[in-house]
């Protein structure tokens, strides 16, 4: 089966990265969905984004995850849509989604590694972004 792949806006690509992390462990948790919605509602990069796009972008990601080369296709779409200056932003948003429920699951760890690789995030910058996400999601 071939999927008709949409073209994504830069903000769609950021949403796709966040959804990919949430879907990566086969369980989309409420805390992750709330985190995605919160970031779309409040992050400056999404200031003019129509959040009605979240659902169709999420469906595209989930459909691609079911395909044999779907993850590769997803990252092709993301790299085509996302300006390089937003690569680290994408990784930061992905880390925040992964950390939203208080722990990282194996699938999420592997997806974050894939995002780092696909978006050429340096290990030093990735470590700083990961630490930042971890401390923002600490509980007492």
């Amino acid at each position: 089966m071939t999927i008709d792949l949409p073209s994504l806006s830069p903000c769609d690509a950021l949403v796709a990265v966040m959804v990919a992390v949430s879907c990566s462990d086969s369980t989309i948790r409420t805390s992750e969905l709330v985190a995605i919605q919160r970031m779309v509602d409040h992050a400056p990069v999404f200031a003019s984004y129509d959040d009605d796009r979240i659902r169709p972008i999420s469906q595209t990601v989930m459909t691609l995850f079911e395909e044999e080369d779907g993850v590769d296709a997803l990252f092709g779409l993301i790299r085509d849509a996302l300006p390089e200056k937003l690569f680290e932003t994408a990784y930061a948003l992905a880390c925040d989604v992964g950390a939203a429920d208080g722990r990282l699951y194996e699938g999420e760890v592997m997806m974050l590694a894939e995002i780092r690789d696909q978006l050429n995030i340096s290990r030093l910058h990735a470590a700083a972004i990961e630490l930042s996400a971890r401390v923002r999601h600490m509980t007492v």
Side-chain angles (χ1 to χ4, degrees), residues 8-76:
L8 302 180
S9 72
C11 287
D12 288 339
L14 293 172
V15 168
V17 168
M18 291 189 288
V19 171
V21 171
S22 183
C23 293
S24 63
D25 63 351
S26 302
T27 305
I28 302 171
R29 291 172 180 75
T30 301
S31 57
E32 294 167 343
L33 294 175
V34 168
I36 292 169
Q37 187 67 56
R38 186 182 65 241
M39 287 182 266
V40 169
D41 287 345
H42 298 291
V45 73
F46 293 110
S48 62
Y49 187 64
D50 176 5
D51 71 353
D52 288 341
R53 301 268 310 140
I54 295 172
R55 183 176 297 280
I57 296 302
S58 299
Q59 190 58 53
T60 297
V61 172
M62 289 184 269
T63 301
L64 285 170
F65 271 28
E66 294 170 3
E67 296 295 313
E68 186 175 335
D69 295 322
V71 173
D72 292 336
L74 175 64
F75 279 108

